[in-house]
Amino acid sequence: MVCKSVNNFLFLGNALLIIHIFFNLISDALYFISVAGKGEIYIWIESDKKYNKVYFKDTGKGIKKEELPYVFSKFFSKRQHGTGLGLNFCKKVMIGVDGNITCTSLENVYTTFCLYFPNIK
């Protein structure tokens, strides 16, 4: 896992739920890196006037183009023994803090999740 320099930011929400999101994203990345037999994890923060964005990128298995629209759907899973509740939970929590989570991916190359936290001034 590679971590870059980070900046702190404030958000309104339950810290334990956000920690659970981070755990879920890292756990998924580690699983799919293991399945692919290759890859690294990158985590970084970017900020603009509207959002503080936390990115989680892995260079493991990637997600098929036709599956990408469903990754946040309840009960959708490509993990062996997965329930399909993890990313759905992440989406609900992020919407609950007036933010969002998105996913971009290229099969066999990378997957990136971006968490959008409203910028508190």
Side-chain angles (χ1 to χ4, degrees), residues 3-121:
C3 293
K4 296 180 181 181
S5 177
V6 297
N7 296 314
N8 291 327
F9 64 87
L10 298 174
F11 70 94
L12 296 176
N14 185 313
L16 290 177
L17 294 177
I18 302 305
I19 290 168
H20 189 78
I21 290 173
F22 285 18
F23 175 83
N24 187 77
L25 294 176
I26 292 170
S27 174
D28 282 354
L30 289 170
Y31 175 82
F32 288 110
I33 284 172
S34 175
V35 167
K38 68 169 183 81
E40 295 179 321
I41 298 172
Y42 301 89
I43 302 169
W44 71 97
I45 295 174
E46 293 178 2
S47 295
D48 60 31
K49 289 182 181 181
K50 191 168 183 180
Y51 293 105
N52 292 298
K53 297 174 267 188
V54 181
Y55 291 87
F56 290 81
K57 178 179 182 177
D58 73 76
T59 57
K61 188 176 178 211
I63 300 170
K64 293 179 182 178
K65 185 178 176 179
E66 59 270 13
E67 295 172 352
L68 201 51
Y70 306 103
V71 296
F72 297 110
S73 298
K74 198 173 197 179
F75 305 122
F76 180 82
S77 178
K78 288 300 179 179
R79 273 180 83 150
Q80 186 177 7
H81 308 295
T83 63
L85 296 174
L87 291 175
N88 181 261
F89 167 84
C90 295
K91 184 76 164 183
K92 287 181 179 183
V93 170
M94 290 308 299
I95 289 170
V97 299
D98 293 327
N100 199 9
I101 180 173
T102 60
C103 179
T104 57
S105 188
L106 184 57
E107 187 177 7
N108 296 316
V109 180
Y110 74 90
T111 299
T112 302
F113 287 92
C114 181
L115 305 173
Y116 294 81
F117 293 88
N119 200 343
I120 300 171
K121 303 235 174 186

